[in-house]
Amino acid sequence: MPFAQLVLGSPGVGKSTYCDGMHQFMSAIGRECSVVNLDPANDKTNYPCALDIRDLIKLEEIMSDDQLGPNGGVLYAFEELENNMEWLENGLKELGESYILFDCPGQVELYTHHNSLRNIFFKLQKLGYRLVAVHLSDSFCLTQPSLYISNLLLTLRAMLQMDLPHINVLTKIDKVSSYDPLPFNLDYYTEVQDLSYLMSHLEEEGPAMRSEKFSRLNKAVADLVENFGLVRFEVLAVENKKSMMHLLHVIDRAGGYVFGGAEGANDTVWQVAMRNESSMMEVQDIQERWIDAKEAYDAAEEKEWEEQRKKQEANAGTAPPDLIPDDDDEFDGMPPPIGDSGVKVIRKTK
């Protein structure tokens, strides 16, 4: 039963960076992971690409042969992929039980109203894949109420269209402290609380927003999002280990991996970490962690990782080899928790 993440989001939100960071993090905890590039325009990936849609079809060839623009070309590419599912299925079979990250294009049409992407992953579900949609949004949207509400509407539409276990993530959360001060704490935005409080701030964006027509429209959109009650967000700083650990824990629970997955030879690394509640980031902590006392938390976490590394070296008698040989790896040498959870999980193969 392979598990997979379907990484969605608008252009520039950090989908490829997320796939690269999550691939490195999973490698550090001993979980076999492969990244599949589904963007026919992405000819340069930062991560090792196990399967590339460009081996089947390239965006520049579609645009040249069929006289289509970039957006139309991407939609055509996914219709082509839907009609050639054997290529994708055969490629995934070669990856075996590896955890899959699907790096998708940024065209929002693919996951708001076009059906090819949805149909492709429904077919993979029938093959036994346990999928979780991870929808990324740039935390810059928090700086303007109109951007935030627009993003809520886009996120809600994606959740209804894809019809999969869905995790919404505000990326680049470590940059929020450098923006203008937000009118509310971060938990107001992540929990999508009473949106009526944003109406007065919306009106301050410009004269047009103060018209009766726009006021009714804004209230209708806010009521729509609240009435569904589906949207909430996790936060992520891709270079922060605790942030990545917390998000992966949330995704594992949504997809069922935490109830039946094993980490192979290094299974106790992840099991101990997941049972260590101090490693989890509570909702009420995010305002203090990423805005009020960000520098202090950064220094404390760096000191904590350094102490764990030294303790591990002292127990082993010699310096342990890095878990990932790449010196530029963000998660290089991340020390496993000390001790044994006492639980051994073994994946049974049929």
Side-chain angles (χ1 to χ4, degrees):
M1 183 187 295
F3 292 81
Q5 295 179 30
L6 174 58
V7 184
L8 309 173
S10 304
V13 299
K15 296 184 296 298
S16 294
T17 302
Y18 169 84
C19 289
D20 185 26
M22 185 60 74
H23 177 266
Q24 293 179 19
F25 187 80
M26 288 188 181
S27 299
I29 65 172
R31 182 184 303 188
E32 185 182 356
C33 175
S34 302
V35 186
V36 175
N37 176 38
L38 290 183
D39 188 350
N42 188 3
D43 57 349
K44 294 180 181 179
T45 58
N46 296 327
Y47 49 77
C49 191
L51 189 61
D52 194 342
I53 191 176
R54 289 178 60 83
D55 294 335
L56 174 68
I57 191 166
K58 296 180 175 66
L59 179 62
E60 54 269 25
E61 293 179 358
I62 298 173
M63 295 172 62
S64 174
D65 296 342
D66 297 281
Q67 301 299 307
L68 293 173
N71 288 352
V74 170
L75 298 182
Y76 181 93
F78 273 83
E79 291 174 358
E80 187 74 14
L81 178 60
E82 183 182 2
N83 292 323
N84 291 273
M85 277 297 294
E86 309 83 25
W87 175 85
L88 181 60
E89 292 173 9
N90 293 334
L92 292 175
K93 284 180 182 178
E94 296 180 3
L95 302 180
E97 292 291 312
S98 179
Y99 194 108
I100 307 296
L101 301 174
F102 290 100
D103 186 10
C104 296
Q107 277 72 11
V108 298
E109 301 95 318
L110 287 169
Y111 53 88
T112 57
H113 60 270
H114 195 264
N115 290 325
S116 288
L117 184 66
R118 175 181 175 175
N119 295 340
I120 289 167
F121 286 99
F122 276 5
K123 291 177 181 178
L124 291 183
Q125 278 188 312
K126 292 180 179 179
L127 296 177
Y129 278 84
R130 301 289 296 274
L131 303 174
V132 177
V134 181
H135 185 261
L136 307 183
S137 302
D138 194 327
S139 58
F140 183 79
C141 72
L142 305 182
T143 60
Q144 288 186 314
S146 58
L147 289 178
Y148 176 65
I149 291 181
S150 299
N151 187 70
L152 290 178
L153 197 59
L154 174 64
T155 301
L156 176 61
R157 180 57 192 150
M159 296 179 74
L160 297 177
Q161 170 73 7
M162 295 308 298
D163 198 20
L164 291 168
H166 208 101
I167 303 296
N168 302 307
V169 182
L170 291 171
T171 61
K172 309 175 188 177
I173 198 65
D174 51 328
K175 297 184 180 298
V176 171
S177 61
S178 64
Y179 301 148
D180 292 336
L182 301 177
F184 304 102
N185 283 351
L186 274 179
D187 60 324
Y188 172 83
Y189 298 96
T190 58
E191 294 298 313
V192 191
Q193 299 174 6
D194 190 350
L195 296 179
S196 63
Y197 289 105
L198 276 179
M199 295 300 110
S200 61
H201 296 280
L202 264 173
E203 295 175 358
E204 295 175 0
E205 289 191 16
M209 291 294 186
R210 290 192 285 272
S211 68
E212 183 180 354
K213 179 176 67 174
F214 272 101
S215 295
R216 292 200 307 268
L217 176 62
N218 294 334
K219 187 178 185 304
V221 172
D223 289 343
L224 175 68
V225 174
E226 288 185 345
N227 289 339
F228 271 98
L230 295 176
V231 183
R232 70 176 302 276
F233 294 95
E234 299 294 334
V235 298
L236 175 66
V238 75
E239 296 181 357
N240 183 274
K241 296 165 187 170
K242 282 193 174 183
S243 181
M244 291 287 282
M245 181 183 296
H246 170 76
L247 180 60
L248 184 55
H249 176 65
V250 172
I251 294 172
D252 283 348
R253 291 186 64 85
Y257 190 99
V258 73
F259 305 110
E263 310 302 338
N266 294 328
D267 58 338
T268 56
V269 174
W270 188 240
Q271 290 164 10
V272 172
M274 287 299 94
R275 287 162 177 78
N276 181 10
E277 292 300 324
S278 64
S279 69
M280 298 297 101
M281 200 174 305
E282 298 295 338
V283 172
Q284 58 266 30
D285 294 338
I286 61 175
Q287 173 71 21
E288 183 179 359
R289 170 63 186 90
W290 297 113
I291 296 182
D292 296 341
K294 178 180 180 297
E295 293 181 358
Y297 271 88
D298 287 344
E301 288 184 6
E302 184 66 28
K303 182 179 179 181
E304 178 184 348
W305 287 113
E306 186 63 28
E307 289 177 353
Q308 286 191 21
R309 183 194 292 259
K310 291 179 179 178
K311 190 179 295 184
Q312 184 71 17
E313 291 175 359
N315 290 343
T318 57
D322 289 338
L323 295 176
I324 302 178
D326 184 3
D327 292 337
D328 295 329
D329 187 355
E330 296 164 2
F331 305 103
D332 193 26
M334 187 181 78
I338 299 172
D340 194 331
S341 66
V343 179
K344 182 70 174 178
V345 179
I346 300 176
R347 189 193 298 278
K348 295 181 179 179
T349 56
K350 294 183 180 180

